Amino acid sequence: MLVATAAVATVWLPVWGGALVAVAAIAAFNWYFVAPRYSFSVDVEQHALLLAAVLVVVWTVSALVWRQKSLAEAAAQDAQREARLRTWGDTLRDASDPAVHAGDLQAALAEAAGVPVAVVLLGHPEGRA
């Protein structure tokens, strides 16, 4: 239950938020289930070791969920980039004169880069788009 709580929290929260939820879950577990009940003191050294080990496991699972979430977001961005490139490739392949699309290419590059860009057309009478 503790591991699931932290893992689910990490899906919606940043990694530090998941770590805080894990600490809160361990504290609640200690309060309700570890003798002496309804206090944060631990009377047996083995219980303290168990709580520390569970906290490490929960933090590890939380970090792995966060890493998986980061990788999934990166993969989604890569898929969007690939789709844009494929669309451009299809547009240029199907065009009788690809230079006609130089203005659209310049706009797309400027949007992707976030700064103004210039497109130079070699061997084209206008030379610049």
Side-chain angles (χ1 to χ4, degrees):
M1 199 61 179
L2 300 172
V3 174
T5 301
V8 169
T10 305
V11 171
W12 289 288
L13 299 173
V15 70
W16 60 267
L20 288 177
V21 168
V23 169
I26 294 294
F29 181 78
N30 183 24
W31 181 264
Y32 288 107
F33 298 110
V34 177
R37 287 177 143 189
Y38 310 113
S39 74
F40 289 113
S41 65
V42 179
D43 63 351
V44 180
E45 188 176 306
Q46 291 174 339
H47 290 164
L49 183 61
L50 171 70
L51 290 173
V54 169
L55 184 61
V56 168
V57 168
V58 170
W59 278 347
T60 302
V61 170
S62 180
L64 290 172
V65 168
W66 174 79
R67 177 71 176 140
Q68 187 64 32
K69 181 178 151 183
S70 298
L71 289 173
E73 290 171 356
Q77 289 176 349
D78 288 345
Q80 289 173 347
R81 275 190 222 109
E82 185 273 331
R84 284 195 304 265
L85 287 173
R86 187 172 9 120
T87 301
W88 264 109
D90 292 344
T91 300
L92 294 175
R93 183 193 65 224
D94 295 340
S96 59
D97 182 15
V100 172
H101 298 288
D104 294 335
L105 176 61
Q106 180 182 13
L109 289 173
E111 180 184 337
V115 295
V117 297
V119 175
V120 177
L121 302 175
L122 299 177
H124 196 268
E126 297 166 8
R128 219 177 163 88

